[in-house]
Amino acid sequence: MLKPLRSVLNNFKLGQKLTLLLLVVFAVGVVASGVALSSILNTSAQNEVTSKALMLMTTMISVRDYTNTQVKPELKDKLATEFLPQTVPSYSAREVFEKVRTDPEYKEFFYKEATLNPTNLRDKADSFEAPLVEQFRKDANLKELRGFHDSPSGKLFYIARPLPISKDSCLQCHSTPEAAPKSMIERYGATNGFGWKLKEVVGAQIISVPATTVLQNAQKSFLLLIGVFLLIFAATILVVNFWLKRYVVRPLNRMAKVAEAVSMGDTAAEFERTSNDEVGSLAETFSRMKMSLTMAMQRLEQYRSSRRSVDRSVDRPPSSQER
């Protein structure tokens, strides 16, 4: 395989070989840069989405806390006769999040407080969410899970955090049906959402976003940076190629023409030194070689002339005096 390639390369001129080498370097550089950039930008885009998701999650925790400590106590008396979903932290968080989603920057984000045994079945953990909750229940030191998963609507990037029962006030509605407000029992029944315990992880806060959102952000940045790299590489190749042709290829071509002229007997042809680099040193070396060759040819010509003179004197007939 290498022999045919070497044979083809041997037929290329120096300028063509240099151009080919630069193109190979260019291609390898673009591919290597593309692979590295793709990984870096995907990670960067994922971190950006994660940062937004965590900010939203922190906001929802604040909404839950505000509802539980400020709103619910104010409406405690009214809850005895009428159930107000606005006093439920998970409901408040969900409603506030839907308001946040009206902002185009967050419209692709989804929020759910997935619970194993919820009062409102809308919050029940599905087949993907339930194992996440179980992981948090088994490992008290596990504070966050994130990754990608396939859903009926497509691939999603998710972040999940445990949802423990941290305050006794939560147990007023979720300990036993007898302790829960009658208005809540009338609305949701006495079957679901009971038996919770203090410090127990009952669910998980999950924020998800379509994976395409993450990948599209990375792809936009990738295309932009690759475009910049392509321009830089292309400009570099043009500059290097121009420099090599001007300061290496052209001087070598001139020396080749002068050497050919000298080989044909044109001793007036001169090797011109135009630089102080290796190419200039080569031109000077050729000049010395031409000078040595000229001197050798002159000596040879002198030797031939002297030989011809001797030969003529030997072949000349003897004079009358010599007889």
Side-chain angles (χ1 to χ4, degrees):
M1 180 178 178
L2 293 177
K3 287 184 177 180
L5 179 60
R6 190 179 296 116
S7 177
V8 172
L9 290 176
N10 288 337
N11 293 325
F12 283 6
K13 293 183 178 180
L14 180 59
Q16 294 173 328
K17 291 179 180 178
L18 291 174
T19 301
L20 180 61
L21 176 62
L22 290 173
L23 288 175
V24 171
V25 172
F26 171 75
V28 172
V30 169
V31 171
S33 300
V35 172
L37 276 175
S38 178
S39 176
I40 293 172
L41 291 175
N42 280 336
T43 302
S44 177
Q46 184 174 321
N47 289 339
E48 181 182 356
V49 172
T50 299
S51 178
K52 291 181 179 179
L54 293 179
M55 181 190 68
L56 291 173
M57 194 170 287
T58 301
T59 302
M60 295 307 104
I61 291 174
S62 298
V63 171
R64 287 176 56 85
D65 185 67
Y66 179 81
T67 302
N68 206 32
T69 59
Q70 302 294 325
V71 177
K72 191 173 182 178
E74 292 294 327
L75 300 174
K76 183 177 180 180
D77 295 337
K78 195 173 182 179
L79 286 173
T81 57
E82 180 184 358
F83 178 72
L84 300 173
Q86 293 82 1
T87 62
V88 179
S90 60
Y91 177 88
S92 298
R94 188 75 172 261
E95 291 300 309
V96 170
F97 190 86
E98 290 303 316
K99 293 293 184 181
V100 172
R101 289 189 66 224
T102 59
D103 187 327
E105 186 176 356
Y106 299 102
K107 66 178 181 179
E108 299 293 338
F109 287 80
F110 300 93
Y111 176 77
K112 182 178 179 181
E113 294 186 2
T115 310
L116 296 178
N117 181 25
T119 301
N120 189 340
L121 294 180
R122 180 188 69 172
D123 299 325
K124 188 172 181 60
D126 60 24
S127 58
F128 166 73
E129 297 159 347
L132 297 181
V133 177
E134 290 296 343
Q135 288 186 60
F136 289 127
R137 288 168 65 88
K138 292 177 181 178
D139 186 355
N141 295 320
L142 184 60
K143 302 302 180 184
E144 183 177 293
L145 291 170
R146 67 175 68 178
F148 293 89
H149 84 95
D150 294 319
S151 71
S153 59
K155 196 169 187 177
L156 298 176
F157 174 72
Y158 71 91
I159 298 175
R161 286 186 172 182
L163 191 62
I165 301 302
S166 57
K167 296 182 179 180
D168 291 329
S169 57
C170 295
L171 299 179
Q172 294 176 3
C173 297
H174 298 287
S175 57
T176 63
E178 292 75 19
K182 293 182 179 180
S183 56
M184 189 187 82
I185 298 296
E186 292 174 357
R187 181 161 183 166
Y188 294 109
T191 304
N192 301 308
F194 299 104
W196 294 8
K197 298 178 182 179
L198 190 64
K199 305 299 182 182
E200 179 188 24
V201 174
V202 296
Q205 284 183 298
I206 301 175
I207 288 185
S208 58
V209 62
T212 53
T213 301
V214 179
L215 299 178
Q216 282 175 357
N217 291 340
Q219 188 177 25
K220 289 178 182 178
S221 300
F222 175 78
L223 292 176
L224 177 62
L225 290 177
I226 281 295
V228 173
F229 276 132
L230 285 173
L231 290 175
I232 293 174
F233 273 120
T236 301
I237 283 183
L238 290 175
V239 171
V240 172
N241 200 29
F242 171 79
W243 187 89
L244 287 173
K245 285 186 176 181
R246 180 167 182 175
Y247 295 103
V248 177
V249 176
R250 288 181 184 176
L252 290 178
N253 285 336
R254 285 197 297 267
M255 281 188 275
K257 291 179 180 179
V258 173
E260 184 178 0
V262 171
S263 70
M264 300 297 291
D266 184 6
T267 57
E270 294 291 341
F271 292 97
E272 182 182 359
R273 178 170 184 169
T274 58
S275 62
N276 294 321
D277 54 14
E278 288 80 358
V279 176
S281 298
L282 181 61
E284 186 176 356
T285 300
F286 272 118
S287 294
R288 289 197 300 267
M289 184 183 69
K290 191 201 81 166
M291 186 181 299
S292 299
L293 180 61
T294 301
M295 293 174 63
M297 291 177 65
Q298 289 175 351
R299 291 192 187 114
L300 180 60
E301 186 61 30
Q302 290 174 358
Y303 174 76
R304 286 178 177 175
S305 297
S306 63
R307 288 293 300 174
R308 283 196 295 269
S309 298
V310 171
D311 291 342
R312 282 197 298 270
S313 64
V314 171
D315 295 338
R316 187 181 59 186
S319 62
S320 57
Q321 293 179 353
E322 291 175 343
R323 292 192 190 124

